[in-house]
Amino acid sequence: KKKLKISGRELVSVPTQVFALDQLQVLEMSPERESCLRYRMELLPKDISRLRNLTCLYVDSNNLKKIPAEIGTLSCLEKLTLSNNSLSSLPAEIGALQRLHSLHLANNSLTELPAALCQLRSLTFLDVSDNKIGTISPCIRHLEKLETLLLLFNSLESLPEDVCLLRNLHTLWLGNNHLQSLPAAFGELVNLDWGYNYCSCNFEGNPLESPPPEVCSRGPEEIRDYFLSLHRI
């Protein structure tokens, strides 16, 4: 079998027999979303490195406190979900997952966006909502393929100018942070959906002053004009 789902209200560890399934491609150890359960697994075993053919690893809604460095050996991994755990850091080896295109880290205890993530050149989806992230490294500009970046409910007070180099972004959610201003080049993110009914760029819950919220809601051209007017003053 190439797909395996392990479930159980009292799930606290990975059965050792799993690591003998060297052809396994999908491993799911997350409770069903509608069940409102949370498993109790605190550690992802180092033996995860034996599953070299994994393409998808789902470990949401557990109690993981640490991800082993061996995660970096899963060279075929394309999707990794670690939301709703107790992670305060990630191993640098996660940067070795060069096929990874989707990474879910929402609702953990991360205080910064790990620099190792900037090595994930194939990443198109990154969700780090509901953490304690206060800064974003300028090296984020290396995520050239990134299309979705979710940063809601963090502690961001500013964005680096380098975010404006992510020209493939279609969705950028920044709601409920501490942002008072945006980078002057923010209007260059022209692929964001600025439509009236659905805005893929969310600023709600920020004390924005420059540009003010009413300018942001009008789209990239208005944002560019706003900063140009400041230069003329």
Side-chain angles (χ1 to χ4, degrees), residues 3-16:
K3 182 176 181 179
L4 176 64
K5 177 175 175 61
I6 302 174
S7 60
R9 185 180 295 272
E10 301 299 322
L11 183 66
V12 295
S13 62
V14 186
T16 56

Side-chain angles (χ1 to χ4, degrees), residues 55-56 76-80 97-104 120-126 145-148:
T55 59
C56 299
C76 294
L77 205 60
E78 298 176 359
K79 185 172 185 177
L80 176 60
L97 303 178
Q98 290 302 305
R99 294 190 185 182
L100 199 68
H101 61 71
S102 183
L103 178 58
H104 299 240
L120 303 177
R121 302 300 177 88
S122 294
L123 209 61
T124 61
F125 181 97
L126 175 59
K145 295 183 179 180
L146 201 62
E147 297 178 0
T148 300

Side-chain angles (χ1 to χ4, degrees), residues 77-233:
L77 205 60
E78 298 176 359
K79 185 172 185 177
L80 176 60
T81 69
L82 297 167
S83 297
N84 304 317
N85 280 288
S86 302
L87 298 171
S88 58
S89 64
L90 294 173
E93 287 79 5
I94 203 167
L97 303 178
Q98 290 302 305
R99 294 190 185 182
L100 199 68
H101 61 71
S102 183
L103 178 58
H104 299 240
L105 292 165
N107 194 22
N108 276 284
S109 299
L110 299 173
T111 57
E112 62 182 359
L113 200 62
L117 299 188
C118 299
Q119 301 173 37
L120 303 177
R121 302 300 177 88
S122 294
L123 209 61
T124 61
F125 181 97
L126 175 59
D127 182 2
V128 286
S129 302
D130 206 0
N131 278 279
K132 302 173 184 176
I133 295 173
T135 58
I136 296 178
S137 170
C139 72
I140 196 172
R141 66 182 181 275
H142 297 310
L143 301 181
E144 299 172 354
K145 295 183 179 180
L146 201 62
E147 297 178 0
T148 300
L149 177 57
L150 308 183
L151 288 160
L152 297 86
F153 292 97
N154 277 291
S155 303
L156 292 171
E157 296 185 356
S158 64
L159 291 176
E161 288 278 347
D162 300 78
V163 168
C164 305
L165 298 175
L166 302 177
R167 300 298 170 82
N168 285 311
L169 273 183
H170 289 269
T171 302
L172 175 60
W173 287 0
L174 297 163
N176 293 90
N177 278 280
H178 307 305
L179 297 173
Q180 295 185 26
S181 63
L182 298 177
F186 196 85
E188 302 302 319
L189 297 175
V190 295
N191 285 320
L192 293 174
D193 180 359
W194 297 89
Y196 177 78
N197 294 320
Y198 171 73
C199 184
S200 66
C201 196
N202 178 290
F203 302 102
E204 186 177 350
N206 285 286
L208 269 179
E209 297 177 0
S210 177
E214 59 269 21
V215 172
C216 293
S217 65
R218 297 178 197 142
E221 291 184 6
E222 291 286 344
I223 292 176
R224 284 198 296 264
D225 290 345
Y226 172 84
F227 283 113
L228 284 173
S229 68
L230 292 182
H231 289 307
R232 296 192 192 104
I233 297 175

